[in-house]
Amino acid sequence: MATSCSGNVANEPTPIEIHPPEVFEIDGTNWQREDSLGKSDTKLLSRYYEKNPSMIDSPLFKGAPTVYHGTKNRRRFYWIGGTATEPIWVCVHFENGAFQLQDGQGNPYQNKP
């Protein structure tokens, strides 16, 4: 008599992979991914860190961000970390001369339900 070895493979969580899209839309605004940080992006992030010095050494801001440009001088800088099954992200959003820090879990490139 043969025995089967089903194990617990089905119970293992599937890793969530988040690939930054070329373009996405949130709340009616289209965002275009940039290949790298430009001079104006670097200046904006420097201004953000000047206004928020406690964020400079934050583990949330490890590595280079994924940069998106929107219309009317809007910018989004994303850092994604966490585990493979629970992505955690932070975003520095710049619009109308002001910065806003956003964060969450899961895929940051889609509208929230």
Side-chain angles (χ1 to χ4, degrees):
M1 175 179 225
T3 59
S4 69
C5 183
S6 61
N8 289 333
V9 175
N11 293 338
E12 291 181 14
T14 303
I16 297 170
E17 292 187 40
I18 297 177
H19 300 283
E22 274 301 310
V23 177
F24 72 98
E25 182 263 328
I26 289 184
D27 298 330
T29 300
N30 290 316
W31 297 94
Q32 172 73 43
R33 189 177 75 208
E34 300 299 318
D35 293 331
S36 61
L37 278 166
K39 284 185 179 183
S40 62
D41 300 322
T42 303
K43 285 181 183 179
L44 277 176
L45 279 179
S46 293
R47 271 187 31 212
Y48 176 78
Y49 289 130
E50 284 173 15
K51 293 178 182 217
N52 301 280
S54 65
M55 299 307 236
I56 293 172
D57 294 324
S58 171
L60 298 173
F61 295 93
K62 285 187 179 177
T66 303
V67 182
Y68 284 89
H69 288 189
T71 56
K72 299 180 183 173
N73 199 27
R74 296 177 183 169
R75 300 282 195 290
R76 281 183 174 237
F77 304 93
Y78 285 97
W79 289 264
I80 299 177
T83 65
T85 56
E86 188 175 74
I88 298 170
W89 57 268
V90 293
C91 171
V92 172
H93 176 92
F94 177 78
E95 181 176 356
N96 297 326
F99 293 100
Q100 179 183 24
L101 182 65
Q102 302 173 353
D103 63 357
Q105 294 178 326
N107 188 343
Y109 306 114
Q110 58 191 8
N111 282 311
K112 306 296 175 254

